[in-house]
Amino acid sequence: MARKLKVFSWSDGLHDYTVATTSRAKALAAWDVGRDLFKDGTAREIAEGRAREAALEAPETVITTPAGGLGAALKALPARARLKPSKAETARAEKLAALKADLEAVEDEAEASELAFAERRSALDAEEAAAMEGFEARRTALEKAIRATRR
């Protein structure tokens, strides 16, 4: 007889993770965490709610939902991360973006130049091969004429 499914949930502050399975160990395995979230109270069994219903519809599948909206996510961030950047930080970020764009332009230019040099090398190699072929043809003709004159 199959064991009854239980629904377990935990949150990292940004997302809620819910899974329907038969045991806590299987829930931890589904979440792929390396510690016992139930031991420290981070994870719990839930008895009601939309997340529970969704998990029961797809057993053994982790259901991920936003945790409490953007406000909860911002509260989970350190105070420094919630502040607007200073003018100096904004200016530094803009300068960094401009320098990165310049670097990308230089790399594109170098690549285009490399392709142009490769095309020119190819054309010169073809010209050299044609010249050598012409020299060989003229040399062969002259050697043939010399042999004919000696006879």
Side-chain angles (χ1 to χ4, degrees), residues 1 21 30 33 45 47 66 69-70 72 86 90 97 99 101 106 108 113-114 116 118:
M1 183 167 148
T21 188
V33 292
E45 184 176 351
L70 184 58
S86 68
T90 303
L99 289 171
V106 166
D108 289 344
S113 178
E114 187 177 328

Side-chain angles (χ1 to χ4, degrees), residues 22-65:
T22 56
S23 69
R24 289 180 171 193
K26 287 184 179 180
L28 292 171
W31 292 325
D32 193 29
V33 292
R35 64 185 176 106
D36 188 354
L37 299 175
F38 294 101
K39 186 175 184 178
D40 62 11
T42 305
R44 65 191 190 297
E45 184 176 351
I46 58 173
E48 58 186 35
R50 288 187 292 179
R52 183 180 192 282
E53 302 305 319
L56 286 173
E57 289 178 15
E60 306 289 331
T61 303
V62 177
I63 308 295
T64 305
T65 56

Side-chain angles (χ1 to χ4, degrees), residues 84-103:
K84 288 185 178 178
S86 68
K87 289 182 181 179
E89 289 172 333
T90 303
R92 189 176 319 117
E94 289 173 356
K95 183 175 182 178
L96 182 61
L99 289 171
K100 285 182 179 180
D102 290 346
L103 176 62

Side-chain angles (χ1 to χ4, degrees), residues 81-150:
R82 286 182 271 165
L83 296 176
K84 288 185 178 178
S86 68
K87 289 182 181 179
E89 289 172 333
T90 303
R92 189 176 319 117
E94 289 173 356
K95 183 175 182 178
L96 182 61
L99 289 171
K100 285 182 179 180
D102 290 346
L103 176 62
E104 190 173 314
V106 166
E107 289 173 346
D108 289 344
E109 184 179 334
E111 186 177 333
S113 178
E114 187 177 328
L115 288 173
F117 282 125
E119 287 176 6
R120 288 170 59 191
R121 271 189 217 101
S122 177
L124 283 174
D125 288 344
E127 186 178 334
E128 178 186 24
M132 293 307 286
E133 192 175 295
F135 293 142
E136 282 297 318
R138 286 173 43 204
R139 181 179 185 185
T140 303
L142 289 172
E143 286 175 349
K144 190 176 183 180
I146 290 172
R147 278 192 303 258
T149 305
R150 285 188 182 161

